[in-house]
Amino acid sequence: MSTATQAPRKPRIALMGEFSAGKSTLSNLLMGSRPLPEKVTATRLSPVWMSHGTHAPFSVDVEGNTQEVSLDHLEDIPVEETMCIRLFLECDILDVCDLIDFPGISDPNMSSEVWERMLPEVDAVIWLTHATQAWRQSEAAVWDAMPDAVRENSTLLITRFDKLTTEKDRLRVFKRVKRETQGQFAATFPISLLQALEAGEDYDLWDASGAGPFVEHLIEAIDKLSKLAARTELPLYNIPNGTPVPQPVSAPVAPRRVKRPLNDDAPKRERPTAEQAQAAGLPPGSGGSTS
Ligand SMILES: Nc1nc2c(ncn2[C@@H]2O[C@H](COP(=O)(O)OP(=O)(O)OP(=O)(O)O)[C@@H](O)[C@H]2O)c(=O)[nH]1
Ligand SMILES: [Mg+2]
């Protein structure tokens, strides 16, 4: 239980999407000079929950038992019985939020239960979709079943944008994805994570990769989520549709380093039905149910 003297909990942002969409590459990018160990990106793992600190890594099984783990042997952790792997790193982004790197949603070798059971821990999602096969039906089905409180605070990244070679293609894909996801994300950005990684200190390249505008948005989104998280002990995933999301604490007006309007042109969406939630295989209560 949180008390008045405890620091408010940090918002938890999940990185989700299809296999190989760039989730782990993005978490490396966001963590800057403290990239994840190679094993964490190369191996098929349970959700990896990253927080700020120096604590030794451990795993949490589905019954809540914890066990210290070695970063050199992450591949030995049984995926089906493991709720998540907890990693602690000292980097700026983890000062302001926790990141949870999810496995791909349609991995044929992994039950969707492996990541579905982590959803109640989540406040918001950065959803990564491959530019060359963007917003597949499998993605739309999972997203349809996501509670509104999460969707309204989430961001869509169209990754591997460098794989689209003509301006015409880039525009076509961006417009289609925007149309098909209208009202379902706070904002959408095309991005080349590889170009962003390679940009180094070159701000023009950083902006051109798409990372510049995305990170500006992310800073604002985390700011809003921090205020929400301070008001709700349970992550936003647990707020049923139709129930008001606690209003962020209104902060005193302070000069902002980054000022960029959010992409809020999206109209409110319809609530997903309980059937849709069920069709996506999500736990009861995650769809249209208000209980
Ligand atoms: N060209 C290009 N390659 C990318 C981009 N983003 C990621 N990749 C590459 O795609 C591969 C998969 O990236 P990951 O970050 O491991 O993808 P993931 O979503 O974590 O994959 P899983 O955890 O296996 O589902 C890696 O070889 C990345 O270097 C991008 O924007 N452009
Ligand atoms: Mg990964």
Side-chain angles (χ1 to χ4, degrees):
M1 287 292 277
S2 72
T3 67
T5 52
Q6 250 178 348
R9 69 179 186 85
K10 289 176 191 170
R12 299 169 191 167
I13 302 180
L15 309 179
M16 295 185 70
E18 294 283 8
F19 176 72
S20 246
K23 303 174 289 293
S24 302
T25 308
L26 175 65
S27 69
N28 271 337
L29 188 73
L30 293 176
M31 295 200 293
S33 55
R34 296 264 175 176
L36 285 177
E38 180 71 15
K39 274 282 171 50
V40 177
T41 55
T43 317
R44 192 154 299 171
L45 297 176
S46 299
V48 180
W49 180 343
M50 291 162 281
S51 305
H52 194 270
T54 53
H55 200 289
F58 61 90
S59 65
V60 184
D61 74 15
V62 288
E63 269 141 29
N65 306 306
T66 61
Q67 191 176 6
E68 269 204 32
V69 296
S70 153
L71 290 182
D72 298 328
H73 297 102
L74 290 178
E75 69 276 19
D76 297 341
I77 301 171
V79 170
E80 301 294 332
E81 293 103 79
T82 303
M83 183 80 171
C84 65
I85 298 165
R86 298 295 314 262
L87 290 189
F88 300 85
L89 298 137
E90 289 186 291
C91 55
D92 292 346
I93 181 91
L94 297 179
D95 248 344
V96 290
C97 67
D98 283 11
L99 293 174
I100 310 179
D101 184 359
F102 272 53
I105 57 160
S106 312
D107 189 331
N109 300 313
M110 189 191 267
S111 151
S112 57
E113 179 65 15
V114 167
W115 53 267
E116 279 168 7
R117 62 191 173 210
M118 272 302 284
L119 288 174
E121 304 297 336
V122 161
D123 287 296
V125 175
I126 300 174
W127 190 283
L128 293 85
T129 189
H130 291 231
T132 50
Q133 39 182 292
W135 206 244
R136 295 163 55 155
Q137 229 174 351
S138 46
E139 299 175 88
V142 171
W143 200 243
D144 254 350
M146 204 64 89
D148 287 349
V150 171
R151 300 182 358 147
E152 284 162 10
N153 288 287
S154 293
T155 305
L156 177 60
L157 282 186
I158 310 175
T159 59
R160 297 164 167 259
F161 219 61
D162 53 295
K163 294 282 183 190
L164 303 176
T165 49
T166 69
E167 187 55 32
K168 195 174 157 212
D169 267 359
R170 289 192 282 267
L171 200 61
R172 183 179 52 77
V173 169
F174 184 70
K175 278 189 165 169
R176 176 179 65 76
V177 172
K178 280 287 285 181
R179 189 176 63 244
E180 290 177 6
T181 60
Q182 210 188 14
Q184 302 180 25
F185 287 93
T188 303
F189 299 92
I191 192 167
S192 167
L193 295 171
L194 277 199
Q195 287 172 0
L197 278 176
E198 286 161 5
E201 297 294 305
D202 187 326
Y203 284 93
D204 290 336
L205 284 180
W206 173 255
D207 274 346
S209 74
F214 160 62
V215 169
E216 278 184 30
H217 163 78
L218 185 63
I219 291 166
E220 296 222 14
I222 291 173
D223 193 41
K224 180 181 172 200
L225 282 166
S226 303
K227 290 169 188 152
L228 284 171
R231 308 213 97 185
T232 61
E233 215 160 281
L234 280 176
L236 298 187
Y237 183 86
N238 303 281
I239 298 178
N241 292 345
T243 309
V245 177
Q247 289 305 303
V249 188
S250 53
V253 180
R256 303 196 70 131
R257 197 168 53 80
V258 183
K259 210 163 179 81
R260 192 188 181 86
L262 288 183
N263 181 359
D264 56 2
D265 57 340
K268 275 270 311 126
R269 58 172 282 275
E270 302 258 291
R271 277 167 53 192
T273 62
E275 289 72 27
Q276 283 172 318
Q278 203 176 24
L282 286 169
S286 55
S289 154
T290 51
S291 60

